[in-house]
Amino acid sequence: MFTRRSDFEAALARFAGPGRRAVVMTMGALHEGHASLIRAARARVGAEGLVTVTVFVNPLQFGAGEDLDRYPRTLDADLEVAAAAGADIVFAPPVEEVYAGGEPRVRMAAGPMGERYEGASRPGHFDGMLTVVAKLLHLTRPDLAFFGEKDAQQLALIRRMVLDLDFPVEIVGVPTVREDDGLALSSRNRYLSARERSTALALSRALSEGREAGLQAARALHSPASLGSADGAGSPPGAGPARVASPRTVRAAARAVLDAAALLEPPLVLDYVALVDPSDFTEVADDHTGEAVLAVAAKVGDTRLIDNVRLWFGVA
């Protein structure tokens, strides 16, 4: 593990093998979701490649009243998870190493795409996120960078930044890892009481119900033999998501589950449920064809959670 930039850069310089470099950026509190990213990185670069994991709780992406001080810091456990999953180097710098002159005076701006949904709920969050991602891409100099699909808007913005600003790196999205009950893995799950967790399961149920409603609508329009299953089998090559139909039906089915969860004790307090184009995170029209993301965010007690599922509207 390296905490100083100079030591980390020296370690990178010593890597002179023929393999490619990959990075997995984290804020620590590593769990199986992070491990899946590291394993995906190792698989892509192979034994001759270099996999770097960064552990840095970025203060720029926490707004007023958010949980910067509360955010879990478990570095010793993180090192074990990273090593077991196949990381070669862990770079865990303190704030003063990343922002040596204090908070940066020049930052990335997420633009209109970063002001919707998560950006509307957390003003400035995506500017801070893109700033540190850009900085860490420069420091780690990877060929590939791996991010989880659970943070769908974050992934979309990173891809947009890399495209618009010509970063020489491939951004790889890795599917969401879920716990046995369907809850998307998150470091914030540890804050949920048993009753709060029961309510929180409405998020993944809403996504499942929305997807199933879309599949049923597709089956009503087309031969079942031509359709993909709910896990994405039979989707267009390279697309991954399940083939569905009727954005209106998908939205209504998901919303019904979330509305019911608002009546539970403790209640689910919905922030948003949206069916968006992943290229710009705008709501899709009722006649949309192609890929879309059904995304949801809500609070249960004091814990805010997000989740999403990828869908494909239309049948080739």
Side-chain angles (χ1 to χ4, degrees), residues 8-23:
F8 172 68
E9 289 167 353
L12 284 184
R14 289 193 294 270
F15 175 73
R20 294 186 295 172
R21 295 177 177 178
V23 67

Side-chain angles (χ1 to χ4, degrees), residues 114 132 182 223 237:
V132 80
S223 166

Side-chain angles (χ1 to χ4, degrees), residues 2-313:
F2 301 95
T3 59
R4 295 174 57 88
R5 284 177 56 169
S6 57
D7 294 336
F8 172 68
E9 289 167 353
L12 284 184
R14 289 193 294 270
F15 175 73
R20 294 186 295 172
R21 295 177 177 178
V23 67
V24 175
M25 300 180 190
T26 83
M27 293 209 301
L30 302 192
H31 49 62
E32 177 57 26
H34 299 104
S36 73
L37 297 176
I38 300 167
R39 288 194 296 268
R42 171 53 65 202
R44 280 291 300 272
V45 303
E48 295 182 331
L50 182 77
V51 176
T52 297
V53 173
T54 65
V55 176
F56 179 64
V57 182
N58 178 31
L60 298 189
Q61 62 196 74
F62 287 80
E66 292 192 328
D67 53 359
L68 174 60
D69 293 335
R70 187 185 178 204
Y71 197 88
R73 290 160 172 84
T74 58
L75 184 55
D76 289 343
D78 295 343
L79 294 174
E80 293 180 6
V81 172
D88 296 301
I89 297 177
V90 174
F91 180 42
V95 171
E96 57 269 22
E97 283 287 318
V98 177
Y99 303 121
E103 289 196 7
R105 298 179 184 180
V106 176
R107 308 187 187 194
M108 304 299 295
M113 186 175 169
E115 296 170 358
R116 306 176 185 120
Y117 304 112
E118 286 300 292
S121 298
R122 307 176 67 188
H125 166 73
F126 285 128
D127 292 353
M129 178 276 294
L130 289 177
T131 298
V132 80
V133 168
K135 196 172 184 72
L136 290 172
L137 286 175
H138 289 310
L139 289 172
T140 60
R141 302 192 294 277
D143 300 296
L144 308 103
F146 291 74
F147 296 91
E149 291 179 354
K150 184 178 80 72
D151 295 293
Q153 193 171 1
Q154 169 180 280
L155 176 58
L157 280 162
I158 292 169
R159 282 178 165 153
R160 190 78 246 176
M161 177 184 73
V162 164
L163 176 66
D164 288 350
L165 301 183
D166 298 312
F167 279 72
V169 61
E170 178 185 348
I171 302 301
V172 182
V174 178
T176 300
V177 176
R178 299 185 178 278
E179 300 193 43
D180 291 342
D181 57 9
L183 192 67
L185 276 174
S186 169
S187 59
R188 290 181 173 146
N189 291 354
R190 69 185 68 193
Y191 301 143
L192 297 168
S193 68
R195 293 179 67 189
E196 288 171 342
R197 186 184 181 94
S198 179
T199 296
L201 293 176
L203 273 70
S204 56
R205 284 202 307 272
L207 300 178
S208 295
E209 289 295 324
R211 180 176 59 182
E212 182 59 30
L215 287 166
Q216 293 292 343
R219 292 187 184 105
L221 294 172
H222 305 276
S223 166
S226 70
L227 300 175
S229 65
D231 63 2
S235 297
R243 289 178 180 173
V244 297
S246 183
R248 184 189 300 272
T249 299
V250 170
R251 288 188 183 99
R255 186 65 191 238
V257 174
L258 298 167
D259 287 346
L263 304 177
L264 299 175
E265 183 55 45
L268 183 140
V269 181
L270 184 65
D271 185 345
Y272 62 80
V273 56
L275 188 61
V276 298
D277 184 330
S279 69
D280 60 7
F281 258 69
T282 56
E283 280 278 350
V284 302
D286 287 338
D287 61 352
H288 176 75
T289 58
E291 190 173 0
V293 174
L294 178 61
V296 62
K299 286 189 74 172
V300 182
D302 294 328
T303 304
R304 188 175 185 277
L305 301 170
I306 63 173
D307 203 349
N308 70 84
V309 67
R310 296 166 62 214
L311 304 171
W312 184 277
F313 288 89

